[in-house]
């Protein structure tokens, strides 16, 4: 739900432009008895005017477009809700991207296939261009093994690469120093997830 009457469309339009998001129609299509609306951000972002007269925006969980869903992923059906592209990648994309791509919010509208294809192309750009390019830069920077370790998270995020793609980064890298840094980061993150899950299970048993 979006309080369109109290939250100026211009403000949501400005936000969409800042993030390089594509204006689109969302909601049940008119030919199906609905009243679709033109939106400039993800449809479930809400804009309101408080009793104090100030503007408030909430529900940012799906601010950015999703990564192209992978049918082989067991969470494929819900991937568009949580596997999102990073803002750095979206802002560097040649064209604006629809944040509601691959969702039911745009299904049935004339341009929904176009929206999905554009986000799919951005995902492929990440896989085939951005990741190999960053890997090549890191390889070149670490030819001298005496170079100190780099901040993996900061370096990948700078170019819009999600940390879930550490495996793709390591596959693309050739320099053993770089590959070792990426492996250590991946193992540390995986270990953290395993330990967190075990601690949650232990807490349930102690209750």
């Amino acid at each position: 739900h979006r309080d369109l009457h109290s939250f100026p469309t211009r403000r949501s339009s400005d936000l969409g432009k800042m993030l390089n998001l594509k204006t689109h129609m969302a909601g049940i299509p008119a030919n199906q008895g609905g009243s679709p609306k033109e939106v400039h951000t993800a449809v479930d972002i809400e804009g309101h005017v408080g009793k104090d007269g100030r503007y408030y925006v909430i529900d940012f969980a799906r601010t950015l477009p999703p990564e192209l869903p992978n049918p082989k992923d067991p969470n494929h059906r819900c991937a568009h809700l949580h596997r999102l592209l990073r803002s750095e990648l979206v802002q560097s994309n040649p064209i604006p991207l629809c944040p509601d791509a691959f969702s039911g919010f745009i299904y049935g509208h004339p341009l929904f296939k176009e929206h999905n294809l554009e986000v799919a192309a951005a995902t492929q750009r990440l896989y085939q261009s951005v990741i190999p390019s960053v890997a090549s830069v890191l390889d070149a920077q670490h030819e001298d093994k005496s170079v100190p370790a780099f901040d993996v998270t900061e370096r990948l995020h700078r170019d819009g690469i999600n940390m879930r793609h550490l495996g793709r980064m390591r596959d693309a890298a050739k320099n053993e120093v770089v590959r070792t840094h990426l492996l250590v980061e991946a193992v540390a993150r995986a270990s953290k997830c395993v330990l967190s899950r075990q601690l949650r299970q232990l807490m349930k048993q102690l209750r």
Side-chain angles (χ1 to χ4, degrees):
H1 165 261
R2 181 190 294 274
D3 191 350
L4 288 172
H5 296 292
S6 59
F7 191 78
T9 301
R10 180 179 59 81
R11 291 183 179 272
S12 61
S13 176
D14 290 345
L15 176 61
K17 290 178 181 177
M18 286 173 56
L19 297 174
N20 199 28
L21 301 179
K22 185 179 183 180
T23 298
H24 59 286
M25 299 298 294
I28 300 175
N31 60 7
Q32 298 178 23
S35 300
K37 303 293 183 182
E38 182 180 78
V39 294
H40 306 284
T41 59
V43 71
D44 43 5
I45 291 182
E46 300 179 18
H48 301 276
V49 177
K51 292 182 179 180
D52 57 3
R54 295 181 177 179
Y55 297 112
Y56 294 89
V57 183
I58 60 175
D59 288 353
F60 288 96
R62 277 195 332 104
T63 301
L64 298 166
E67 188 173 316
L68 173 65
N70 180 1
K72 297 180 180 179
D73 188 329
N75 298 315
H76 165 65
R77 293 185 62 185
C78 299
H80 66 281
L81 300 177
H82 59 88
R83 292 175 67 91
L84 309 181
L85 299 173
R86 286 194 59 83
S87 60
E88 297 90 344
L89 184 84
V90 175
Q91 289 177 306
S92 70
N93 202 63
I95 59 174
L97 298 173
C98 177
D100 289 318
F102 299 105
S103 77
F105 294 119
I106 64 170
Y107 184 77
H109 289 285
L111 298 179
F112 87 95
K113 290 184 179 180
E114 176 183 293
H115 300 328
N116 291 349
L117 287 173
E118 289 170 347
V119 170
T123 302
Q124 293 304 318
R125 182 172 73 89
L126 170 65
Y127 295 167
Q128 300 172 9
S129 178
V130 176
I131 289 177
S133 176
V134 174
S136 294
V137 170
L138 290 176
D139 284 344
Q141 291 176 341
H142 292 78
E143 288 182 355
D144 182 353
K145 294 185 179 181
S146 65
V147 176
F150 58 96
D151 186 325
V152 176
T153 303
E154 187 280 330
R155 186 61 187 84
L156 268 60
H157 283 178
R158 189 193 313 170
D159 285 278
I161 302 173
N162 309 79
M163 297 305 289
R164 62 176 173 267
H165 294 308
L166 278 168
R168 291 179 184 272
M169 275 294 303
R170 190 166 186 271
D171 283 344
K174 307 301 180 185
N175 184 295
E176 284 305 316
V177 173
V178 175
R179 287 172 56 81
T180 298
H181 287 329
L182 295 172
L183 179 60
V184 168
E185 183 73 24
V187 170
R189 286 173 173 267
S191 299
K192 178 182 176 182
C193 289
V194 171
L195 289 173
S196 295
R197 182 170 62 250
Q198 292 177 342
L199 285 172
R200 286 195 296 270
Q201 293 173 345
L202 179 60
M203 292 303 295
K204 289 180 179 179
Q205 295 172 4
L206 295 176
R207 287 177 182 173

